[in-house]
């Protein structure tokens, strides 16, 4: 590496562990920015290096235009559906050469829940030695905000103008059903939990799947300054429970919902038309979900080892 | 080397495997595999090969098979895959990426009719669908040519003056499943022919570069120009790789464009793949009868060897192109490209396209004779001629 301090695309110097450099193209209040910072810090703390594989999504636009890059690590852009396959090839070569740097996929919900699901499922089934982080903004942010299978019911998007009728796909359950060594949810409103899970993921081997609730002010029609508060409400109300699953069979809830009404979450974003949401049904669904996770955590606990 | 009785598929599988093994002192080999008839035996072969330093990844689709090859190649491994027909269509997006990333991936493709209707027999429409993609394309005629060309393709693709992926094509069943005695290259010689891959632009963990992010039109354009320059260097580097092969293995893997009895020919046929074998025999017989006919076998299709064709066709006044493919609204792809290449250089040349064996039907010597009869009688070229079409009136009712 050169002697000069690393600089971002804006020319602002950044620290060595700066995975996301200043001058990137992310919108203000984008959850992805915070997530990438946490990831960079966790890698630096663990003394590990990484390469990123990023499919079509806001995360690859983040890099900025050739010949500059907003990423402080090597990045390979993949086609929309290919990130886990490209990462499989890269991780294979790394392993063949006895190297230890992490190969990390960083993908939006479209590349994860939808177009990339077959590839992700196959990589999970093969237990590829990669970390996969989905920053779930629940919308196709990069194309201007259309529905995805991660979009929650009732959310208005460009392709569901009167609110999405279907449920959000439970991608963590899908991944856990593959028996992957580690699957966990992340919230930037709970940085200590976030960092601990990154540490766990960096320590383990095989397919590690992390789902991060990623505020998207552009798509959520929310105030950038409220992003962290919004995802905090999602955790507190049980809309986005924080939990982890080991080997697809042992569970732990990390943050118990505190009785906050999901209505608070909906009210802060102009993507929801409150008149069209059956809030009682949402409350019941949150309750059922957390009760099920609680039962699993008690019956099949992760225990203290991790 | 002792000759072995193998299919075209096993000839290809063997060459892919030993080429991969030859990278064992570098960063190894990575292969993404997904089966499709009639290619399946190739990936089965490499899946069983005991690589010293390699990984064969059995993926869930052709799209991912190329994805794994892309990942392996950007990380510096020798990478390859194989496919056919609708599998290539499904893979297409990543085929394009491999080219524009300048990754020297080698793919063996068994030419098979694109469906629907469901049809497993030979037709070049699948690889020719990729004709505007940034790949070298080479078409083979025999098991031996498949075995040798596959090795040559790695040397060509990995040459630092080129750094482009290469596709090696063979005919479904006629080559892929037919056993002939084939000289399979021994590892020691392959080790000498294929130096360990050194990919200059491979990713390195301490070098933060984004490969494939956004580029403005001016930068994208300059990359396309560089790509075109690399393509233009292919014929010359191909010749070098061919000569090196001949020196080392004592066999000619075959020129990019292969003339037969062309020197004083007035009428020349152009053929690819196994049709060239049949056409050569027809031309030989007619030569015995004193007819001034010849044949050009086109092995290299991308880049299109226009200069070489102009040179070889200097004395001819008419060309008949045997196209085992059909491009909607155009006719045959080879014929179309040949016409374009001759424009402004040989405007007096009559170029007639014949659609032969499209969708996998046999191309018999009689059919090629009828093509030559038609070609010799012509006053001018016309629309592409469908050859061997039986009108199944009864079936249509
Ligand atoms: S559109 Fe949304 S996800 Fe994309 S950069 Fe902006 S805030 Fe982030």
């Amino acid at each position: 590496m050169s002697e000069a301090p690393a600089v971002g695309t804006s020319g602002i110097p950044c620290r060595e562990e700066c995975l996301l450099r200043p001058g990137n193209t992310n919108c203000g209040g984008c959850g992805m920015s915070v997530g990438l910072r946490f990831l960079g810090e966790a890698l630096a703390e663990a003394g590990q290096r990484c390469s990123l594989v990023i499919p079509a999504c806001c995360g690859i636009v983040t890099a900025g235009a050739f010949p500059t890059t907003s990423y402080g690590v090597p990045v390979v852009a993949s086609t929309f559906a290919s990130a886990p396959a490209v990462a499989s090839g890269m991780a294979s070569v790394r392993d063949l050469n006895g190297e230890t740097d992490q190969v990390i996929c960083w993908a939006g919900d479209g590349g994860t829940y939808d177009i990339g699901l077959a590839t992700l499922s196959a990589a999970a089934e093969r237990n590829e030695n990669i970390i996969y982080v989905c920053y779930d903004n629940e919308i196709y942010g990069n194309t201007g905000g259309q529905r995805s299978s991660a979009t929650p019911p009732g959310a208005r998007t460009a392709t569901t103008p009167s609110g999405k009728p279907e449920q959000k796909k439970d991608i963590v359950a899908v991944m856990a059903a593959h028996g992957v060594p580690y699957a966990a949810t992340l919230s930037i409103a709970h940085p200590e939990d976030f960092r601990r899970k990154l540490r766990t993921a960096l320590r383990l081997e095989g397919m590690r799947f992390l789902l991060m609730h990623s505020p998207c002010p552009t798509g959520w029609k929310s105030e950038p300054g409220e992003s962290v508060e919004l995802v905090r409400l999602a955790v507190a109300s049980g809309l986005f429970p924080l939990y982890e699953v080991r080997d697809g069979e042992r569970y732990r809830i990390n943050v118990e919902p505190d009785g906050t009404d999901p209505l608070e979450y909906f009210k802060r974003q102009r993507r929801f038309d409150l008149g069209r949401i059956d809030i009682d049904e949402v409350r019941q669904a949150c309750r059922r979900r957390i009760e099920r996770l609680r039962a699993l955590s008690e019956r099949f606990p992760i225990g203290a080892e991790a | 080397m002792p000759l072995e009785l193998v299919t075209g598929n096993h000839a290809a599988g063997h060459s892919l495997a030993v080429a991969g093994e030859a990278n064992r002192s570098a960063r190894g080999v990575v292969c993404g595999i997904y089966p499709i008839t009639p290619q399946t035996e190739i990936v089965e072969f490499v899946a069983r090969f005991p690589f010293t330093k390699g990984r064969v990844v059995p993926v869930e689709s052709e799209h991912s098979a190329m994805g794994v090859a892309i990942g392996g190649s950007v990380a510096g491994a020798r990478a390859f895959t194989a496919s056919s027909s609708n599998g290539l269509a499904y893979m297409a997006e990543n085929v394009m990426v491999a080219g524009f990333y300048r990754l020297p991936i080698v793919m063996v493709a068994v030419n098979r009719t694109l469906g629907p209707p469901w049809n497993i027999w030979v037709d070049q429409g699948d690889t020719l669908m990729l004709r505007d993609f940034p790949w070298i394309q080479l078409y083979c005629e025999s098991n031996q040519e498949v075995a040798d060309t596959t090795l040559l393709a790695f040397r060509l693709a990995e040459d630092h003056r080129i750094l482009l992926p290469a596709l090696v094509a063979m005919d479904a069943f006629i080559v892929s499943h037919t056993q002939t005695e084939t000289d399979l290259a021994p590892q020691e010689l392959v080790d000498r022919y294929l130096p360990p891959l050194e990919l200059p632009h491979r990713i390195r963990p301490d070098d933060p570069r984004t490969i494939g992010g956004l580029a403005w039109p001016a930068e994208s354009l300059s990359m396309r120009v560089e790509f075109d320059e690399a393509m233009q260097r292919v014929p010359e580097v191909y010749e070098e790789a061919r000569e090196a092969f001949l020196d080392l293995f004592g066999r000619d893997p075959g020129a990019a464009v292969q003339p037969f009895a062309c020197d004083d020919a007035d009428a020349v046929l152009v053929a690819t793949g196994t049709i060239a074998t049949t056409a050569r025999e027809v031309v030989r017989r007619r030569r015995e009868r004193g007819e001034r006919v010849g044949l050009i076998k086109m092995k290299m299709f991308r880049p299109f060897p226009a200069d070489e064709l102009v040179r070889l066709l200097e004395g001819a006044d008419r060309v008949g192109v045997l196209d085992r493919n059909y491009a909607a609204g155009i006719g045959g792809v080879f014929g179309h490209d040949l016409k374009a290449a001759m424009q402004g250089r040989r405007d007096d040349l009559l170029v007639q396209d014949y659609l032969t064996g499209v969708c996998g039907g046999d191309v018999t010597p009689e059919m090629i004779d009828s093509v030559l009869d038609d070609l010799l009688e012509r006053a001018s070229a016309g629309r592409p001629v469908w050859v061997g079409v039986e009108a199944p009136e009864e079936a249509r009712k």
Side-chain angles (χ1 to χ4, degrees):
Chain A
M1 288 190 65
S2 69
E3 294 300 310
V7 291
T9 39
S10 63
I12 301 170
C14 56
R15 289 175 303 169
E16 196 70 4
E17 67 268 29
C18 184
L19 188 149
L20 179 65
R21 292 160 161 176
N24 64 74
T25 59
N26 288 357
C27 306
C30 178
M32 180 175 41
S33 304
V34 185
L36 285 166
R37 278 200 80 123
F38 287 168
L39 178 60
E41 287 166 11
L43 283 159
E45 181 195 294
Q48 292 190 354
R49 298 189 304 192
C50 83
S51 299
L52 294 179
V53 183
I54 309 182
C57 66
C58 286
I60 195 62
V61 181
T62 299
F66 179 87
T68 57
T69 175
S70 295
Y71 287 111
V73 296
V75 174
V76 178
S78 81
T79 51
F80 208 176
S82 276
V86 172
S88 298
M90 288 165 61
S92 299
V93 183
R94 173 204 58 198
D95 292 345
L96 287 171
N97 289 281
E99 293 156 356
T100 55
D101 49 293
Q102 299 281 352
V103 177
I104 302 176
C105 294
W106 184 268
D109 45 307
T112 305
Y113 286 72
D114 295 337
I115 192 170
L117 185 61
T119 317
L120 176 60
S121 167
E125 184 256 339
R126 296 191 305 269
N127 196 26
E128 293 289 343
N129 195 7
I130 59 179
I131 295 177
Y132 190 104
V133 186
C134 170
Y135 65 96
D136 181 6
N137 56 27
E138 306 185 323
I139 200 167
Y140 294 166
N142 196 31
T143 40
Q146 300 78 26
R147 89 184 282 285
S148 86
S149 60
T151 302
R156 280 181 303 205
T157 72
T159 48
T160 55
S162 48
K164 187 191 169 196
E166 299 89 3
Q167 292 296 318
K168 180 181 169 97
K169 188 187 287 181
D170 188 349
I171 194 74
V172 179
V174 172
M175 293 305 289
H178 289 74
V180 295
Y182 194 55
T185 58
L186 310 171
S187 174
I188 56 171
H190 294 268
E192 275 320 307
D193 182 67
F194 197 127
R195 291 191 177 104
R196 185 187 59 77
K197 286 170 175 167
L198 285 176
R199 281 197 295 273
T200 305
L202 290 172
R203 202 173 60 234
L204 293 171
E205 288 190 353
M207 172 62 105
R208 292 141 284 171
F209 178 81
L210 301 169
L211 179 73
M212 174 184 116
H213 202 199
S214 188
C216 172
T218 323
W220 292 13
K221 307 201 172 19
S222 55
E223 292 304 318
E226 285 196 283
S227 285
V228 174
E229 178 60 10
L230 279 178
V231 289
R232 193 194 66 75
L233 286 171
V235 174
S237 62
L239 278 163
F240 189 87
L242 286 182
Y243 66 107
E244 56 197 322
V245 192
R246 292 291 285 270
D247 304 317
E249 56 187 22
R250 287 173 298 138
Y251 290 75
R252 176 157 62 201
I253 296 177
N254 310 110
V255 176
E256 277 287 343
D258 64 4
T260 299
D261 192 332
L263 192 58
E264 292 303 309
Y265 177 75
F266 294 122
K267 281 200 296 202
R268 302 275 193 101
Q269 304 165 61
R270 293 192 299 283
R271 64 171 163 158
F272 294 105
D273 179 350
L274 294 179
R276 288 176 185 265
I277 290 179
D278 184 343
I279 192 68
D280 282 328
E281 168 52 33
V282 174
R283 288 174 184 134
Q284 280 174 32
C286 285
R287 202 175 305 125
R288 281 197 303 272
R289 180 112 183 275
I290 202 76
E291 275 170 11
R292 183 172 169 277
L293 285 172
R294 255 184 225 132
L296 287 165
S297 304
E298 281 160 21
R299 185 92 172 76
F300 309 104
I302 284 183
E305 90 273 25
Chain B
M1 278 298 290
L3 295 173
E4 288 193 46
L5 191 61
V6 295
T7 63
N9 275 343
H10 277 179
H14 172 86
S15 289
L16 289 172
V18 290
E21 180 65 6
N23 205 41
R24 63 193 173 282
S25 63
R27 294 191 48 85
V29 62
V30 170
C31 173
I33 60 167
Y34 196 75
I36 178 170
T37 303
Q39 169 276 130
T40 308
E41 291 173 345
I42 302 176
V43 296
E44 288 173 348
F45 189 99
V46 297
R48 287 195 299 264
F49 192 84
F51 289 104
T52 307
K53 187 176 182 183
R55 180 160 181 235
V56 176
V57 189
V59 291
E60 82 291 358
S61 73
E62 288 88 351
H63 195 270
S64 285
M66 187 54 75
V68 165
I70 288 168
S73 191
V74 292
R78 186 163 281 157
F80 55 80
T81 188
S83 194
S84 181
S85 192
N86 287 42
L88 286 171
Y90 193 56
M91 185 195 277
E93 187 194 24
N94 278 340
V95 174
M96 181 174 60
V97 170
F100 284 132
Y101 279 2
R102 304 285 301 268
L103 301 174
I105 294 166
V106 169
M107 171 158 65
V108 174
V110 182
N111 284 128
R112 165 186 155 182
T113 308
L114 287 164
W118 198 241
N119 178 327
I120 56 172
W121 293 277
V122 57
D123 182 301
Q124 299 162 327
D126 51 359
T127 50
L128 293 177
M129 168 185 64
L130 310 171
R131 67 183 179 270
D132 298 331
F133 282 25
W135 280 63
I136 299 163
Q137 288 204 13
L138 305 167
Y139 289 79
C140 298
E141 184 184 347
S142 65
N143 297 15
Q144 189 66 58
E145 194 175 18
V146 167
D148 297 348
T149 307
T150 302
L151 292 171
L152 182 148
F154 281 100
R155 177 135 166 172
L156 177 61
E158 292 172 2
D159 190 291
H160 283 200
R161 292 166 289 175
I162 306 292
L163 289 173
L164 292 170
L167 182 153
V168 178
M170 71 173 108
D171 289 356
F173 298 103
I174 304 171
V175 176
S176 72
H177 282 65
T178 301
Q179 294 190 335
T180 61
E181 284 195 322
T182 310
D183 199 338
L184 297 176
Q187 190 68 58
E188 316 84 74
L189 288 188
V190 177
D191 288 349
R192 282 161 61 193
Y193 186 64
L194 294 178
L197 170 66
E198 176 47 55
L199 187 71
H201 57 292
R202 80 167 171 88
I203 53 155
R204 290 177 164 80
D206 55 359
D207 184 11
R209 279 192 287 168
T210 294
I211 299 177
L214 183 72
W216 299 112
E219 279 83 25
S220 300
L221 174 63
S222 68
M223 290 175 203
R224 289 291 197 276
V225 171
E226 282 182 17
F227 162 78
D228 183 52
E229 287 165 357
M231 262 286 173
Q232 288 177 41
R233 288 191 286 267
V234 168
E236 185 192 336
V237 179
Y238 180 96
E239 267 307 298
E240 289 176 26
R242 178 186 165 208
E243 275 166 35
F245 193 100
L246 184 60
D247 281 351
L248 196 59
F249 294 94
R251 275 197 305 284
D252 185 355
V257 182
Q258 299 168 20
F260 174 74
C262 276
D263 285 347
D264 61 342
D266 303 322
V268 174
L269 292 176
V270 172
T272 45
T274 52
I275 292 181
T277 316
T278 314
R280 200 177 288 113
E281 179 60 16
V282 171
V283 166
R284 195 187 58 75
R285 286 188 211 159
R286 290 177 78 132
R287 273 273 163 186
E288 281 173 8
R289 300 208 300 263
E291 293 180 52
R292 292 176 21 149
V293 294
L295 169 76
I296 292 174
K297 179 182 124 181
M298 271 187 71
K299 174 170 180 167
M300 183 183 290
F301 169 66
R302 283 290 179 266
F304 196 79
D307 292 346
E308 185 68 357
L309 288 166
V310 168
R311 194 181 65 72
L312 289 170
L313 290 168
E314 217 160 24
D317 60 27
R318 55 193 59 221
V319 176
V321 183
L322 300 164
D323 257 311
R324 191 167 218 157
N325 62 83
Y326 169 70
I330 291 178
V333 173
F334 284 90
H336 187 259
D337 272 23
L338 186 65
K339 273 178 226 162
M342 293 300 144
Q343 203 164 31
R345 303 171 81 172
R346 279 298 308 278
D347 290 330
D348 59 321
L349 189 70
L350 187 160
V351 184
Q352 176 61 43
D353 207 353
Y354 298 92
L355 305 175
T356 46
V358 174
C359 295
D362 282 341
V363 179
T364 61
E366 293 71 32
M367 284 159 74
I368 294 175
D369 264 322
S370 75
V371 163
L372 264 174
D373 291 343
D374 179 87
L375 180 67
L376 290 165
E377 280 162 19
R378 276 184 176 269
S380 62
R383 283 191 44 75
V385 174
W386 289 94
V387 181
V389 179
E390 298 161 24
E393 283 304 325
E394 288 309 311
R396 281 187 195 146
K397 279 178 192 156

